[in-house]
Amino acid sequence: MTIQTNRRKFLVGAALTSVSLKVLGSDSCGVFTPAQTEGPFYPGERNFGLDTDLTRVPGSRTRALGQVIYVKGKVLDSECRPVEGVNVEIWQACASGKYNSPRDPNPARLDPNFKYWAETFTNRDGEYMFKTIRPGAYPAAANWDRPPHIHVRVSKLGYGELVTQMYFKGEPLNDVDDIILDLPRAERESVIVDFVPSPAGFEPGSLMGTFELKLRPVRRRS
């Protein structure tokens, strides 16, 4: 059985189970990661793969354009315990701000050397990591440019599925973005990540940021 088939069964099972579940309200570990809009450019599960390096595509020797970054973190439950085996998906625009989607009206050019999406599963310590590039901003409407951001979907049986977005600390567009400003301050701060120079052993000149994700557990209705 292929990885994709296993993944489809996992996600279908999660969706069916969630019909008969309700979200627990307990929160003894700070702010739960807030849900945010999925947006119109979710690529669909058939397009995801388990290669977590988005900076290169198979068969190409050319790296994607843009600032290389590593996004790492842990997925935690309401008691701050790491959650193993969580499916973490990311998708984003390339450095020009263009999504690899026929629905994206942005006239910017696609980057043929960028992967645009990937997925992984957390290890026993709840950890995940992706290598990617800082996406570009793009026009969302008249007089509204969305700040650079990365979309994230997180799912595992026993927890409410989470779709959110991660932003970059110090980005001026964060301060005028309708989607970010719709969040309460504490939740807003939880999705804005500070990127610093990567430690030794990672690509020279790259940056690294830590994005923790806190999930709400669920329980069966009586």
Side-chain angles (χ1 to χ4, degrees), residues 67-72 129-131 194-210:
Q67 170 65 61
V68 173
I69 62 172
Y70 293 87
V71 180
K72 70 180 183 69
M129 179 182 288
F130 295 95
K131 182 181 181 182
D194 189 16
F195 280 79
V196 299
S198 300
F202 293 87
E203 181 166 328
S206 65
L207 301 176
M208 182 175 290
T210 301

Side-chain angles (χ1 to χ4, degrees), residues 16-29:
L16 292 174
T17 303
S18 66
V19 173
S20 61
L21 300 177
K22 63 181 179 180
V23 176
L24 296 176
S26 172
D27 177 9
S28 62
C29 186

Side-chain angles (χ1 to χ4, degrees), residues 6-7 10-11 14 50 73-76 81-89 119-128 153-159 215:
N6 281 330
R7 181 179 178 278
F10 168 83
L11 292 178
L50 294 176
K74 287 187 176 183
V75 179
L76 306 172
R81 295 170 299 201
V83 186
E84 181 180 3
V86 178
N87 182 222
V88 184
E89 306 171 21
E119 70 175 328
T120 190
F121 290 86
T122 56
N123 64 18
R124 63 184 299 173
D125 296 316
E127 298 168 330
Y128 72 91
R153 181 188 293 270
V154 187
S155 54
K156 180 179 171 67
L157 290 174
Y159 298 86
L215 295 183

Side-chain angles (χ1 to χ4, degrees), residues 5-212:
T5 301
N6 281 330
R7 181 179 178 278
R8 283 195 290 273
K9 288 189 173 182
F10 168 83
L11 292 178
V12 169
L16 292 174
T17 303
S18 66
V19 173
S20 61
L21 300 177
K22 63 181 179 180
V23 176
L24 296 176
S26 172
D27 177 9
S28 62
C29 186
V31 176
F32 285 116
T33 305
Q36 296 178 83
T37 175
E38 179 181 281
F41 307 128
Y42 178 68
E45 69 172 72
R46 292 183 181 179
N47 289 316
F48 284 94
L50 294 176
D51 180 0
T52 57
D53 182 354
L54 284 73
T55 68
R56 296 184 185 274
V57 297
S60 175
R61 296 183 179 181
T62 305
R63 181 177 65 74
L65 298 173
Q67 170 65 61
V68 173
I69 62 172
Y70 293 87
V71 180
K72 70 180 183 69
K74 287 187 176 183
V75 179
L76 306 172
D77 67 11
S78 59
E79 304 297 327
C80 267
R81 295 170 299 201
V83 186
E84 181 180 3
V86 178
N87 182 222
V88 184
E89 306 171 21
I90 67 168
W91 66 100
Q92 63 174 91
C94 63
S96 71
K98 177 77 171 176
Y99 284 87
N100 189 3
S101 169
R103 299 186 300 278
D104 186 359
N106 185 355
R109 296 185 64 178
L110 287 170
D111 184 347
N113 298 305
F114 184 56
K115 275 188 57 184
Y116 290 91
W117 47 71
E119 70 175 328
T120 190
F121 290 86
T122 56
N123 64 18
R124 63 184 299 173
D125 296 316
E127 298 168 330
Y128 72 91
M129 179 182 288
F130 295 95
K131 182 181 181 182
T132 182
I133 56 96
R134 178 183 170 119
Y138 62 86
N143 302 316
W144 178 26
D145 285 351
R146 291 241 49 219
H149 60 278
I150 295 176
H151 295 265
V152 182
R153 181 188 293 270
V154 187
S155 54
K156 180 179 171 67
L157 290 174
Y159 298 86
E161 183 181 79
L162 171 68
V163 177
T164 192
Q165 298 178 32
M166 187 212 79
Y167 304 90
F168 295 78
K169 185 176 181 179
E171 168 56 52
L173 289 173
N174 292 344
D175 299 331
V176 292
D177 183 68
D178 291 346
I179 294 176
I180 297 178
L181 295 178
D182 192 48
L183 297 173
R185 181 173 295 277
E187 292 186 353
R188 193 183 315 159
E189 292 175 354
S190 76
V191 294
I192 297 176
V193 174
D194 189 16
F195 280 79
V196 299
S198 300
F202 293 87
E203 181 166 328
S206 65
L207 301 176
M208 182 175 290
T210 301
F211 187 35
E212 282 196 345

